[in-house]
């Protein structure tokens, strides 16, 4: 059985990775960081963590 804490950690890690990637200057390093953030977010989504979309009310 999966731990709720590990799901939360994955969500936090994905959010932090995206924040760091957005603050980087344009270039290949930023592209790689954005890819990593996307992979983390998809992994979190696969575990059932739902991310809110910007500008849209929650369901």
């Amino acid at each position: 059985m999966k731990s709720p804490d590990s799901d939360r950690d994955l969500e936090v890690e994905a959010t932090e990775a995206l924040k760091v990637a957005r603050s980087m200057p344009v270039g290949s390093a930023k592209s790689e960081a954005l890819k990593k953030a996307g992979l983390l977010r998809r992994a979190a989504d696969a575990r059932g963590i739902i991310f809110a979309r910007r500008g849209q009310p929650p369901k």
Side-chain angles (χ1 to χ4, degrees):
M1 185 173 185
K2 65 183 179 179
S3 167
D5 291 336
S6 67
D7 288 347
R8 197 70 167 145
D9 292 343
L10 191 56
E11 177 185 7
V12 170
E13 188 176 349
T15 303
E16 286 298 316
L18 185 59
K19 189 183 299 184
V20 168
R22 286 181 175 163
S23 68
M24 295 175 77
V26 176
S28 62
K30 182 175 184 170
S31 295
E32 290 301 317
L34 286 169
K35 286 177 189 178
K36 178 184 175 187
L39 288 172
L40 289 169
R41 181 156 295 206
R42 284 190 292 280
D45 285 343
R47 288 186 168 193
I49 300 171
I50 306 299
F51 289 92
R53 290 184 171 188
R54 292 183 178 200
Q56 295 183 358
K59 290 183 179 179

